[in-house]
Amino acid sequence: MDIYTIIFLALAVFIFIRLRNVLGQRTGEERPPFERVARDAAGADNNVVPMPGSVIDHGALAPTADVSPAERWKGVAEPGTPLAMGFDAIVAQDPSFDPRHFITGAKGAYEMIVLAFANGDRRSLKDLVSPEVFESFDGVIKDRETNEWKTETRFVAIDKAELAAAEVRDRSALITARFVSQMITVTRDKTGAIVDGNAEKVTDVTDVWTFARDITSRDPNWKLVGTDAGQ
């Protein structure tokens, strides 16, 4: 192998390890913000790409039994709210869950999924999203490939990441997170001409993603199961 092949392989291993480190902590479920890319491929004005699945691990210290309800979720949920009660329901089934660890992993997963989708990185997406979400993403990627379009996305900042809902449904824990970010996104055709977006403009993006995990399973990872454009 030549030196360039070795460098490429080393970079691929580094990215894979980083991905596993972020999503190998029990965290929660998410969804990606891809309204602009979907428009590129479908030529539509839809703001929402509904889809189900993601991967995150929330390895955290279990809350102790002597912590008061007012202190238990301090900083992430007010006592007595549906969100706090949702956390209680998840912890009752999985004592290791901690929403603070979850949101940290969710932010990393959010950025990775957005970039993997923009780059058409199917291998990474399969590890991060449910089969249903992957099918939706893959359809948009195929349309871009047919049109010979390429999308470039760059994160400027994630301004806010907060948990909006949590519940246990049947055997699944479900968590919804809201992300407010700044990105630069542009889609070009095969000649390099811009067909959507602006390579010089920073766009404010709000996304609401839902993550799920089978709490009866030994697998600690969460998968992205739904995406929506937030307000």
Side-chain angles (χ1 to χ4, degrees), residues 2-3 34 47 73-74 79-80 113 143 196 201 213:
D2 60 31
I3 185 63
F34 304 133
N47 290 327
W73 308 123
K74 186 175 182 180
I113 293 171
D143 286 342
D196 189 59
K201 181 180 178 181
R213 187 179 80 84

Side-chain angles (χ1 to χ4, degrees), residues 18 21 35 53 67 82 114 138 152 188 194 208-209 221:
R18 180 172 179 264
N21 285 341
E35 55 231 301
V67 175
V114 170
D138 187 50
E152 304 162 8
R188 303 178 187 272
I194 295 176
V208 180
W209 287 13
N221 289 320

Side-chain angles (χ1 to χ4, degrees), residues 68-85 88:
S68 69
E71 294 293 326
R72 191 175 201 184
W73 308 123
K74 186 175 182 180
V76 289
E78 293 296 323
T81 61
L83 181 59
M85 290 187 285
D88 289 338

Side-chain angles (χ1 to χ4, degrees), residues 158-231:
I158 296 180
D159 296 326
K160 182 183 294 186
E162 58 187 3
L163 302 184
E167 65 174 311
V168 174
R169 188 184 304 166
D170 297 325
R171 300 187 309 173
S172 295
L174 298 167
I175 297 182
T176 298
R178 180 174 178 270
F179 302 95
V180 179
S181 62
Q182 296 180 39
M183 303 182 202
I184 297 175
T185 299
V186 62
T187 299
R188 303 178 187 272
D189 64 18
K190 63 182 179 181
T191 69
I194 295 176
V195 296
D196 189 59
N198 188 326
E200 306 297 328
K201 181 180 178 181
V202 176
T203 302
D204 295 326
V205 178
T206 299
D207 290 290
V208 180
W209 287 13
T210 298
F211 300 87
R213 187 179 80 84
D214 183 346
I215 50 181
T216 66
S217 171
R218 297 180 64 182
D219 183 355
N221 289 320
W222 298 69
K223 288 200 171 186
L224 175 64
V225 296
T227 69
D228 198 356
Q231 298 297 323

Side-chain angles (χ1 to χ4, degrees), residues 129-181:
V129 307
S130 71
E132 294 84 358
V133 173
F134 178 81
E135 183 178 354
S136 296
F137 285 178
D138 187 50
V140 177
I141 293 171
K142 286 178 179 176
D143 286 342
R144 289 202 308 245
E145 291 171 342
T146 298
N147 290 319
E148 297 185 75
W149 292 351
K150 289 189 176 181
T151 297
E152 304 162 8
T153 296
R154 180 165 63 87
F155 272 90
V156 176
I158 296 180
D159 296 326
K160 182 183 294 186
E162 58 187 3
L163 302 184
E167 65 174 311
V168 174
R169 188 184 304 166
D170 297 325
R171 300 187 309 173
S172 295
L174 298 167
I175 297 182
T176 298
R178 180 174 178 270
F179 302 95
V180 179
S181 62

